[in-house]
C-alpha cells in the first residue's frame, strides 16, 4: 500500500504540473481528491488494516493528501494570477479614459407638472401644503355641504375604508377639497394655499380618467375676495402654463361647497377644438372645478361670511401635460414605459 501511495503522489503531481486552466484544475481535483479517487478509497479502507500497518499507511496517506491539497491551492493561485495578468498584457489599458456613463433618473412628468404649478402659484403668494389621503367622511363630504343621500355624492364614486365598529367612517379622498376644511379649522384669514395630492375614485378608466389621479386644490380667503379674483388668478395660471394664445373656457358649474360654481376647460390640442375622441367631440377638455366658497362652509369653520369671502378651485394635474404636449391617453403616465417617460 505504501508503494501504491507513493505512485499515486508522483502521478498526481506530474499531472498537476500539466494543468493550465481552472476548469482542468477542477477535473484534476475530482480525479485525485474526489470521493471516488484512489487516495480517498485508501483512506476509507484503513480501518480494516491491522493496527501497526494502519498507523504507517495512515500517516503516509495523510501526508500524500496534504501534499496534493497544497499543490492544488498553489496551482489555483498561479492560475488566478495569470488570468488577471493576461488582459493587462495583451491589451493596452488606458486608465485615463472616462468611465461608462450610467443612466440617471429624472422626475416623473406628473411630479414636474406639480412642481411647476406650485411655482406659478407660489409667485402669486400661495403657500403649498399637503393633507391625508385616507380621509374622514366628514371632511370629504359633510363639511363640504354634501350630507349623506345628497345627489352630489354620485359625482364621487367613493372607495370606502373599512374601519372597526364605532369609529368614524373613513374613505380614500375623492378630491383634495377636504383640505379646505382642515386648513380653515386651524388658520384664520388671510389664507392663500394650494394643496397638491392624490385623489381616488372607483370609476372605469378611459383616455381622460384614471381611478388614482392627482389634483391641486387652491383656496384664498380674505376680505373683499370676489369672483374676478378667482377668474384673474386662474387665467394668469393658464397663461403661464399654456401661453397667451391658447383658448380657455370659463363657465358655470355646480359644486355644493361653492356658490357660484364654475369650471374651466382648455381647447383640445389633439383636434385644435374641432372635436375628437379625446375631448368627447366637444373641442374642450375640462381641467378644473372652482367657485366662491359657500357661506355655510365658512360659517361651519368659524369664519364669519359677512366679513370674509373666498374662492377655491380643484384642478386635475394629468390633464395639464396632456393638453400641453398632446398626450392622448392619461394612462400613458402610469404604464411606466421609460420610452414615453424619458421624453419629458
Ligand atoms: C372636484 O373634484 C372638486 N373638488 C373641484 C372643486 C374644488 C370645485 C374647489 C369647486 C371648488 P371634479 O370632480 O370636477 O371636481 O374634478 C376636478 C378636476 O379633476 C377635473 O376637472 C379633472 O381635471 C380632474 N379629474 C376628475 N376626475 C378625474 C379622473 N378620474 N381622472 C383624472 N382627472 C380627473
Amino acid at each position: 500500500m505504501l508503494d501504491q501511495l507513493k505512485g499515486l503522489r508522483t502521478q498526481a503531481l506530474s499531472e498537476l504540473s500539466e494543468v493550465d486552466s481552472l476548469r482542468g484544475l477542477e477535473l484534476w481535483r475530482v480525479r485525485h481528491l474526489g470521493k471516488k479517487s484512489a487516495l480517498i478509497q485508501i483512506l476509507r479502507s484503513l480501518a480494516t488494516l491491522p493496527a501497526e500497518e494502519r498507523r504507517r499507511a495512515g500517516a503516509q496517506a495523510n501526508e500524500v493528501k496534504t501534499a496534493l491539497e497544497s499543490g492544488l491551492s498553489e496551482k489555483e493561485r498561479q492560475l488566478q494570477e495569470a488570468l488577471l495578468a493576461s488582459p493587462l498584457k495583451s491589451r493596452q489599458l488606458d486608465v485615463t479614459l472616462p468611465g461608462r456613463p450610467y443612466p440617471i433618473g429624472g422626475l416623473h412628468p406628473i411630479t414636474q407638472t406639480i412642481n411647476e404649478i406650485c411655482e406659478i402659484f407660489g409667485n402669486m403668494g400661495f403657500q403649498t401644503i399637503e393633507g391625508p389621503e385616507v380621509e374622514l367622511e366628514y371632511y370629504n363630504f359633510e363639511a363640504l355641504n354634501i350630507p349623506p343621500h345628497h345627489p352630489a355624492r354620485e359625482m364621487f364614486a367613493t372607495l370606502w375604508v373599512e374601519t372597526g365598529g364605532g369609529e368614524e367612517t373613513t374613505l380614500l379622498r375623492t378630491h383634495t377639497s377636504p383640505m379646505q376644511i382642515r386648513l380653515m379649522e386651524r388658520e384664520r384669514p388671510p389664507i392663500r394655499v394650494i394643496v397638491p395630492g392624490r385623489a381616488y375614485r372607483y370609476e372605469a378608466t378611459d383616455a381622460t380618467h384614471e381611478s388614482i389621479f392627482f389634483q391641486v386644490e387652491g383656496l384664498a380667503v380674505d376680505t373683499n375676495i370676489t369672483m374676478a379674483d378667482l377668474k384673474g388668478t386662474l387665467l394668469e395660471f393658464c397663461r403661464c402654463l399654456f401661453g397667451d394664445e391658447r383658448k380657455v373656457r370659463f363657465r358655470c358649474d355646480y359644486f355644493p361647497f361653492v356658490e357660484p360654481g364654475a369650471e374651466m376647460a382648455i381647447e383640445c390640442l389633439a383636434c385644435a377644438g374641432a372635436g375628437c375622441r379625446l375631448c368627447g367631440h366637444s373641442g374642450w377638455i375640462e381641467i378644473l372645478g372652482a367657485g366662491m366658497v359657500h357661506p355655510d362652509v365658512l360659517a361651519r369653520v368659524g369664519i364669519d361670511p359677512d366679513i370674509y369671502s373666498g374662492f377655491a378651485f380643484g384642478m386635475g394635474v394629468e390633464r395639464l401635460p396632456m393638453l400641453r404636449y398632446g398626450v392622448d391617453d392619461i394612462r400613458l403616465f402610469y404604464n411606466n414605459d421609460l420610452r414615453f417617460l424619458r421624453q419629458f
Side-chain angles (χ1 to χ4, degrees):
M1 185 174 283
L2 293 181
D3 283 348
Q4 194 190 349
L5 281 167
K6 223 169 166 184
L8 275 180
R9 178 195 171 113
T10 318
Q11 170 75 20
L13 291 179
S14 114
E15 278 180 31
L16 184 62
S17 65
E18 304 290 313
V19 170
D20 60 1
S21 69
L22 285 169
R23 168 92 191 115
L25 188 62
E26 175 58 10
L27 294 173
W28 179 89
R29 188 194 63 77
V30 171
R31 206 159 50 244
H32 295 289
L33 286 164
K35 273 189 213 145
K36 292 183 185 155
S37 64
L39 178 63
I40 301 301
Q41 297 299 328
I42 290 175
L43 279 163
R44 285 215 183 111
S45 69
L46 287 175
T48 59
L49 296 178
E52 178 55 18
E53 205 177 323
R54 186 189 325 146
R55 199 181 52 75
R56 275 192 296 130
Q60 178 79 4
N62 276 323
E63 194 267 327
V64 173
K65 185 163 177 257
T66 314
L68 297 197
E69 281 170 349
S70 61
L72 172 74
S73 50
E74 173 57 19
K75 189 73 179 186
E76 188 174 6
R77 192 189 59 74
Q78 287 171 6
L79 290 172
Q80 297 278 20
E81 248 173 37
L83 208 64
L84 263 181
S86 67
L88 294 180
K89 263 191 215 147
S90 61
R91 278 184 259 142
Q92 286 257 323
L93 185 71
D94 183 353
V95 291
T96 63
L97 279 177
R100 284 198 193 95
Y102 280 89
I104 40 170
L107 291 178
H108 191 280
I110 298 305
T111 309
Q112 289 181 38
T113 308
I114 290 175
N115 290 348
E116 209 171 333
I117 296 170
C118 293
E119 195 183 322
I120 294 173
F121 282 105
N123 290 339
M124 291 193 253
F126 285 73
Q127 234 188 320
T128 301
I129 58 162
E130 287 185 11
E133 292 176 19
V134 176
E135 186 53 282
L136 295 177
E137 182 182 12
Y138 172 76
Y139 288 108
N140 198 82
F141 289 129
E142 268 95 338
L144 291 165
N145 289 346
I146 315 176
H149 314 301
H150 191 291
R153 290 222 180 184
E154 287 287 304
M155 283 160 62
F156 303 106
T158 308
L159 286 153
W160 299 93
V161 176
E162 230 175 280
T163 45
E167 291 170 41
E168 282 181 85
T169 314
T170 47
L171 43 77
L172 293 176
R173 66 177 175 198
T174 58
H175 51 172
T176 42
S177 299
M179 273 308 287
Q180 290 184 30
I181 308 297
R182 283 187 178 273
L183 186 84
M184 286 191 289
E185 275 182 349
R186 60 169 200 252
E187 304 270 339
R188 298 292 92 182
I191 291 173
R192 252 189 277 181
V193 290
I194 53 164
V195 191
R198 281 191 186 84
Y200 298 80
R201 292 188 196 173
Y202 180 66
E203 58 183 42
T205 65
D206 62 25
T208 52
H209 291 84
E210 262 289 1
S211 44
I212 304 177
F213 57 99
F214 278 87
Q215 284 192 336
V216 172
E217 193 77 8
L219 175 71
V221 185
D222 205 344
T223 49
N224 300 321
I225 294 232
T226 68
M227 194 80 174
D229 296 312
L230 170 65
K231 201 173 164 188
T233 305
L234 291 177
L235 288 178
E236 172 62 14
F237 168 75
C238 289
R239 261 197 298 274
C240 290
L241 206 66
F242 296 105
D244 289 335
E245 304 302 319
R246 199 70 182 273
K247 280 196 193 138
V248 176
R249 187 182 73 183
F250 192 72
R251 63 177 191 178
C252 290
D253 201 351
Y254 169 72
F255 300 93
F257 39 98
V258 287
E259 183 55 40
E263 60 116 328
M264 207 166 188
I266 308 278
E267 192 179 55
C268 178
L269 189 67
C271 60
C276 66
R277 180 190 64 89
L278 183 63
C279 57
H281 304 283
S282 68
W284 298 96
I285 292 184
E286 184 197 309
I287 58 158
L288 60 85
M292 299 304 292
V293 182
H294 198 291
D296 290 352
V297 172
L298 291 176
R300 194 170 289 118
V301 291
I303 294 178
D304 188 344
D306 290 332
I307 303 174
Y308 295 106
S309 56
F311 68 69
F313 57 84
M315 68 173 75
V317 174
E318 290 82 357
R319 294 188 186 178
L320 302 174
M322 287 177 77
L323 282 157
R324 207 171 173 192
Y325 304 117
V327 175
D328 63 2
D329 198 313
I330 190 171
R331 290 164 291 199
L332 287 167
F333 290 113
Y334 299 114
N335 287 345
N336 282 335
D337 184 337
L338 287 178
R339 289 169 307 176
F340 171 75
L341 295 175
R342 281 209 184 100
Q343 299 176 87
F344 295 91

